[in-house]
Amino acid sequence: MSFGKLKSARKAKEFHSYVKPDGSSLSDAEGLTASLNTAPASDSTEQIEQLAGSGANTEPDQMQHTSAHPAQTPRTDEVPYGSLAEESQEVQPDLKPAPSTVPGKAPDGPVQRNAETTTPVPLNDCHISLPASLQIRESSRHGRGIYTNTALQAGTVVMSIVPHVSVLSTSYLDQHCSACAASATESGLKRCPKCKTVYYCDKACQDRDWAWHKHECSALQTWAASAPSPDVMIPSDAVRCLGRILWGSQKEGPDSTWAREIRMMQSNRASVHSSSVEDHTYLAHSLVRYLGVRAPADLQPFSLSSASDLVDLISRFTTNTFTLTSASLSPIGICVAPTVAFANHSCSPNAVIVFPRAQGTPASKEPSLNLVALRDIAPGKEVRISYVDTTLPKDLRQKELTEVYNFTCQCKLCTKPPTVDPRESLWCPKKCGGTCPLPTEEDNLFRCTKCGAGVTNVDAVLDAARIGQEALDKATSLQFRGELSLRSKGYNATQLTTNIIPILVSTGLTPSAHPLLAMTRLHQELLIASLPTSLSQESLDEVIRTAAKYNAGLQPILPKGHPIRAIALAELGKLLAVDEPASLASPAQASMFPPSGPPRLKLAYESLVRAHEELLVGFGKANGGGHVGRDVRDAIARLEKEIGVWTSGIKNALEDSVLAQRAG
């Protein structure tokens, strides 16, 4: 999965609705707002405050921000990261936790680690999919979380469930099945003949999805019929996901386990940050339009007694949505899984969320969300995932966690970072092989930890990092901007990455430093996308060199077995295994990278073997490393055969040479 992909892709698509940026909205939504309140709303803030039935808290010291961009995560945006169930803090003994206004949180003040207490959370017959080896507990420091009762080894599938609801992003609706999320096969997908929007593998998938789609189908047709432009013919995945949640609650009933589990998810409506109010308004208005709601009474069939209940649901949704990904971590949509949403955050997580598409899993159990142990976890310990891209430096991680999830992270990586964080590092200016912390505007007196040499080109480093971040944002935006042609997007974005990467390298940024690492990954994606049909040696080798640099950057940041790292290594191995367009290299090229001929095959083989070992951890040993693990295993077998043929050929040639010499 590419860095920046999730956030940028979603940001480009998320609120394609009839709500205009200036706060104006559809007459239907305005009518609902007016009918729910005594006076019409004059702007977005007033609209959402009136729609919710109570004013948003705008006192700076009490704000808690919820995201209107579901499933924002690592830029590689990130394995798909999770969503918030409750605020997460790993408080050190001498640290004070950030003030909390979330109900059920510990009061402000110094908290000692040994003073923490946890108690089981009564589930009231809900969350029966939770394995007996796990327990939901309430911590006196950071609220509800998932704890293990037994020892878990790295690569253990901790939990495997089907999300309550999942939807595909608009650009993937014709490429994946809307029921099981499988990608299209050579025979293609079957399109719904009525709405002509969603596609299915076969009739079995269509029948299974009909409970939701029978409502969705007519809603999509109505929406498209009145769309003012082709760009908004299909509502955003956020609107469609919320629609499925409400239709699911209607189908199952308000007192059903399904509906109660949705309501158990964390809501931060009472403390919505002012900057999120407008986003919530857009989403609420779009949802109202999509559902065909014109008066408060129309909310009753969905077990919503007021507009306040609707805003509560939106808050739960934006806070607890997971990214739906392909087996190779590409974000293809969003989903809601209330049981897994209890998992708390750490910037150094001991578990990850993946959709491995393991062999033998029936389509009726897909998409299967797997919570996998990334490292060994002792009994009684909390199972934690990351909500953000852990390759980002601390300031950017904290900014996203604060704005999106309403808390300041207190994990060890944030409170006691290494002397030189690889995410913010420079090579020694004296080239001794050591590294220096990246200087900042506030503190630019940093030295190499190996030889003590000081960073002298501080202004150049700061300027390069700033320009690099701006270029990364622009290139990512160009990559996903819907109104540009694919050729134009690729060309412009590739130009940016090609021009900026040398600047970042020349100022001394290490391969793992931000934004160089993210830019390298994006550059690799763009190069692969633009590979010509008639492959040249030069273009293939450039992609391989870029992939190798990206892998080098990930090594000091992500632990062995992390799915992002495993996928990157598998990509490198597969690229090395591609048949070379040119003939074998000359002796002068033997020391160059990538190598050619048999050494190249050997390196491909070694890379794929390492990738398979890591895939077994990141995607679960029981899953065989998932779909990617199976592909890599097959590639290894092919290479073994190819290397064997080459070895046999050399052996036969040597034997023939010996026989010829004897005969002479």
Side-chain angles (χ1 to χ4, degrees), residues 215 245-254 291 293 295-305:
H215 303 286
I245 289 174
L246 289 173
W247 288 316
S249 298
Q250 184 180 30
K251 169 181 172 289
E252 300 293 334
L291 295 173
V293 173
D298 294 342
L299 294 171
Q300 295 293 336
F302 304 107
S303 302
L304 299 175
S305 59

Side-chain angles (χ1 to χ4, degrees), residues 47 92 116 268 315 349 552 613:
Q47 287 173 7
Q92 303 301 314
E116 181 187 12
N268 293 319
S315 176
E613 292 174 354

Side-chain angles (χ1 to χ4, degrees), residues 160-223:
S160 176
I161 62 174
V162 178
H164 275 35
V165 172
S166 63
V167 298
L168 298 168
S169 296
T170 302
S171 59
Y172 291 97
L173 281 169
D174 60 350
Q175 301 175 38
H176 291 260
C177 174
S178 280
C180 70
S183 58
T185 61
E186 291 184 0
S187 60
L189 299 169
K190 313 300 181 185
R191 186 171 69 172
C192 173
K194 293 184 177 180
C195 68
K196 296 180 173 56
T197 300
V198 303
Y199 291 72
Y200 298 103
C201 295
D202 49 33
K203 191 175 186 302
C205 279
Q206 183 179 23
D207 290 345
R208 190 170 62 256
D209 195 53
W210 181 244
W212 282 271
H213 188 60
K214 65 182 177 182
H215 303 286
E216 179 184 64
C217 191
S218 57
L220 287 170
Q221 293 176 69
T222 302
W223 178 285

Side-chain angles (χ1 to χ4, degrees), residues 321-369:
T321 305
F322 290 92
T323 304
L324 175 66
T325 74
S326 68
S328 59
L329 304 184
S330 296
I332 59 174
I334 54 177
C335 65
V336 175
T339 305
V340 186
F342 282 116
N344 276 317
H345 165 84
S346 172
C347 292
S348 181
N350 56 17
V352 290
I353 289 175
V354 289
F355 295 82
R357 302 201 76 86
Q359 189 171 20
T361 304
S364 59
K365 299 297 183 182
E366 293 284 6
S368 177
L369 184 155

